[in-house]
Amino acid sequence: MPPKFFQIGFNKCGTTFIARLFDLNRIPAAHWLEGALADDIAFAKLSGTRPLARWADSITAFTDMESVRFLNMPVIEAFKDYALLDAHYPGSVFLLNTRRVEDWIASRYLHRGGAYARSIAAAMGVPLGALGDIWAADWDAHLAGVRAHFAGRAEFIDIDIDHATPDDYQTALSPWYDLPHLPPLPGQGVRRARQANLPRVLRMMDEPLPGADQDPDRRAQLAAKLARLAAPARLRQKGSIDRPPHAQALCLDLGADQLRGADGAVMPLRRGPDGLFHLAAQRPGLLRAAAVANDIAGVTGHGCYWLDLRPATFAGSDPDNPADGPLIATLRRRGARNVFLWPAPWRHRIGNDGFPGVPVADPDWSDRADRLVWRGTLSGHAPASADTAEALITALEHRADGPARALLPRTGRWPVLADLAARPGLDIALTPDARRDRVLAQAGLTAPAPVRDDAPAARYRLALSGSEGDADALPLLNSHALVLIEQDGWEGFLSTLFRPEVHFLPLQPGCADLDLRLAWARAHQDQARQIAQRARRLCARLADPAGRRLHLAQVLADYRRATGQD
């Protein structure tokens, strides 16, 4: 058996090339795994267990061991834990991959269209322009630490990717691995494109700290309004904080630094020295709960909070779906009892590229095509059922001929998309999803709309009902487009902040009045443009970390009062 291999340089330094080198030569490699490698190493440190144990018997090479979730989870650069890996896997080969540091910084700024840098800046609470110096100092410290730790070790390889050829990798690794097949390096076209993007980097570095221009009084007023909107329509407590509101609820106990199930079982969540909760990599289904736990812990240091972090919950909406005590959720039915609203973690984090207020380069109204565009995924509930489209797709994945096959075409978006996609003059398409498309094909189902990834700049954008709530509409409201939103009886934390006819045009369920609404917008271009502009201005006020903290602190204070904790 060849020794383990660990790439321990930073991301954006040819990590994909290194992973492909092993893949091409049929040497089992794990590259990034959407952050799972880094999450596993970090959790192992906190729990005193062996890192990467779940892959140790099947994987030889590990590359890009980093996790940046674009929501409130720790930024983990687990490649820096080379000493831990060295102790658990003696005799392993370690490769430090480097490049010209200025080019690396620029590449990091541009990674994922700027979302990577914005997320890290938000996590650190610094302006984007400060990251360059922070990253440069981090680079120097890491390289010095690695070289000191592995000094004189034959199993340590130091490669500058700016000058190394594929043959150089092959030669350096030849004592341990047979690598006859070599992937090509990025061509000159890719390198020229990187240089052409430098003006974008400079513009990002000039962006001010979010919220720096907000008036303190207006900030406090908006935070208070958001907290009022988050309060339940009806608040009636039947039990105490020691009793779960329902069987699916989770309890975040900041006194014990624990997340527990309704049955008292402790979830695999550990709090690190940075104050953030880390989640075990094998439990991705708890990622929503972990992110909200970090949201709450970042605002307060005490209290117990019952959470229902399903994408959407019927809790408190009728006798069949009780909420026997106050709880916190990200999407509730209108009028639900005992349910406080919290921002959904997938979008509503300052620094996340989908959050309102993020600078966008979309063309202004006059430069947009006179058309309506929708891009999205299958979503929503089946009629008279708590089954979501996402859950039914998972069920179909395990049994292609099961009951889910009949239910999925009846979920919220499916029939609406099938109708809209057939209408001329509308640009309606599902975003690509390899898993979904494979599952539908196996079940013999035809998607209700074509699949395309492009979303041309258009004057009108559509937000359909589903189980994401505000998450779909917010990026659209932050654009220069007029947004038409299908009304569905669900409430997110911004649902009543953005008002119909003022910030968007409402649509009847099923989009029955879409043609009439579009006709009005085309006949009243000035009013339509003003609605889009008002929505964008309100989004800019939401991209304020201090205001968001005020808002969330008030929601938690109201919750503690409702549960007798204050």
Side-chain angles (χ1 to χ4, degrees):
M1 287 286 291
K4 298 295 182 199
F5 169 90
F6 298 101
Q7 169 259 315
I8 54 171
F10 286 91
N11 68 334
K12 310 308 295 178
C13 288
T15 58
T16 301
F17 172 87
I18 297 168
R20 289 187 62 206
L21 177 64
F22 284 91
D23 284 337
L24 277 176
N25 292 282
R26 299 185 181 278
I27 297 174
H31 178 74
W32 183 51
L33 301 186
E34 298 185 338
L37 298 177
D39 291 340
D40 184 271
I41 294 169
F43 195 81
K45 282 176 62 179
L46 293 172
S47 58
T49 56
R50 188 188 189 202
L52 305 177
R54 60 190 293 210
W55 297 282
D57 293 336
S58 58
I59 299 296
T60 297
F62 295 90
T63 60
D64 205 352
M65 299 177 290
E66 182 186 53
S67 178
V68 180
R69 290 286 185 182
F70 306 101
L71 48 99
N72 203 355
M73 292 298 289
V75 174
I76 303 170
E77 294 178 316
F79 57 87
K80 293 179 178 177
D81 291 310
Y82 49 84
L84 179 72
L85 297 171
D86 191 19
H88 280 277
Y89 297 95
S92 296
V93 177
F94 291 82
L95 185 148
L96 177 65
N97 46 311
T98 65
R99 63 187 292 195
R100 185 173 177 266
V101 66
E102 292 82 4
D103 294 339
W104 169 72
I105 290 172
S107 185
R108 264 196 163 191
Y109 266 111
L110 297 175
H111 188 36
R112 297 198 175 185
Y116 178 89
R118 287 194 176 91
S119 185
I120 289 181
M124 300 179 72
V126 300
L128 276 171
L131 288 179
D133 289 339
I134 292 171
W135 285 342
D138 196 24
W139 173 277
D140 290 340
H142 178 63
L143 267 57
V146 168
R147 287 166 178 159
H149 180 85
F150 291 103
R153 295 263 294 271
E155 299 85 4
F156 173 62
I157 300 166
D158 199 334
I159 283 187
D160 182 337
I161 70 167
D162 289 334
H163 302 101
T165 66
D167 290 337
D168 292 329
Y169 289 89
Q170 183 185 54
T171 300
L173 294 168
S174 62
W176 307 280
Y177 312 103
D178 184 20
L179 303 169
H181 306 293
L182 303 176
L185 292 172
Q188 290 298 321
V190 173
R191 296 175 185 178
R192 282 194 297 269
R194 290 170 180 167
Q195 292 297 320
N197 282 329
L198 285 177
R200 287 180 55 208
V201 175
L202 296 176
R203 286 196 298 271
M204 287 179 67
M205 294 181 75
D206 284 338
E207 289 180 21
L209 190 68
D213 59 346
Q214 295 293 319
D215 176 75
D217 290 337
R218 294 191 73 205
R219 170 187 290 149
Q221 291 168 6
L222 180 59
K225 184 174 184 178
L226 285 167
R228 287 196 302 273
L229 297 175
R234 296 174 294 166
L235 182 61
R236 183 171 151 197
Q237 183 183 354
K238 295 182 179 179
S240 70
I241 196 65
D242 298 322
R243 188 170 120 191
H246 59 69
Q248 285 77 42
L250 298 170
C251 181
L252 176 65
D253 183 346
L254 290 180
D257 282 344
Q258 286 183 344
L259 183 69
R260 299 187 295 269
D263 60 357
V266 178
M267 302 292 107
L269 207 64
R270 297 284 183 120
R271 202 165 189 182
D274 55 4
L276 292 172
F277 286 99
H278 293 249
L279 177 65
Q282 64 267 33
R283 296 295 298 274
L286 288 171
L287 192 53
R288 285 177 183 267
V292 171
N294 281 323
D295 276 343
I296 294 174
V299 175
T300 184
H302 67 284
C304 290
Y305 306 89
W306 284 103
L307 313 175
D308 182 345
L309 295 178
R310 292 172 288 184
T313 180
F314 286 95
S317 60
D318 56 55
D320 293 331
N321 295 281
D324 295 330
L327 60 81
I328 292 171
T330 59
L331 203 62
R332 69 188 177 196
R333 293 299 291 171
R334 188 169 295 126
R337 173 182 296 174
N338 287 340
V339 181
F340 287 82
L341 280 173
W342 194 263
W346 299 110
R347 288 285 190 193
H348 308 151
R349 171 136 194 269
I350 295 166
N352 183 320
D353 225 28
F355 195 90
V358 169
V360 291
D362 290 343
D364 204 350
W365 184 271
S366 57
D367 297 322
R368 288 174 167 262
D370 182 22
R371 63 199 304 194
L372 179 135
V373 170
W374 179 86
R375 294 289 184 274
T377 62
L378 294 178
S379 187
H381 292 81
S385 169
D387 292 317
T388 64
E390 297 87 342
L392 293 171
I393 289 171
T394 299
L396 274 177
E397 193 170 21
H398 295 95
R399 185 180 173 188
D401 61 345
R405 188 182 185 282
L407 283 174
L408 184 58
R410 301 173 60 201
T411 51
R413 285 185 184 173
W414 190 298
V416 176
L417 288 174
D419 172 47
L420 297 181
R423 294 195 203 177
L426 303 182
D427 189 345
I428 306 295
L430 290 161
T431 51
D433 183 328
R435 172 178 172 266
R436 176 203 66 210
D437 298 339
R438 171 177 52 79
V439 170
L440 293 182
Q442 289 172 346
L445 293 170
T446 301
V451 177
R452 289 200 302 275
D453 199 18
D454 61 310
R459 290 185 185 175
Y460 315 107
R461 296 297 300 267
L462 177 62
L464 292 177
S465 169
S467 53
E468 286 84 12
D470 302 321
D472 277 353
L474 279 175
L476 306 182
L477 291 164
N478 190 45
S479 72
H480 292 277
L482 172 65
V483 185
L484 293 85
I485 302 179
E486 181 189 7
Q487 305 298 282
D488 59 3
W490 289 97
E491 289 182 334
F493 91 110
L494 292 178
S495 295
T496 50
L497 181 67
F498 287 87
R499 290 178 290 157
E501 319 292 347
V502 177
H503 302 104
F504 67 92
L505 294 185
L507 295 174
Q508 295 173 5
C511 301
D513 57 345
L514 177 60
D515 292 340
L516 289 175
R517 287 293 191 176
L518 272 178
W520 178 89
R522 285 174 169 139
H524 300 83
Q525 288 289 287
D526 285 344
Q527 291 101 312
R529 184 202 292 244
Q530 289 169 11
I531 291 173
Q533 289 174 339
R534 283 194 292 268
R536 189 168 166 80
R537 286 197 295 269
L538 184 52
C539 284
R541 293 186 62 196
L542 291 168
D544 174 15
R548 187 174 191 270
R549 187 178 178 86
L550 281 175
H551 152 222
L552 298 184
Q554 185 58 57
V555 173
L556 295 177
D558 293 343
Y559 179 90
R560 289 193 299 270
R561 261 193 304 276
T563 53
Q565 296 186 79
D566 278 354

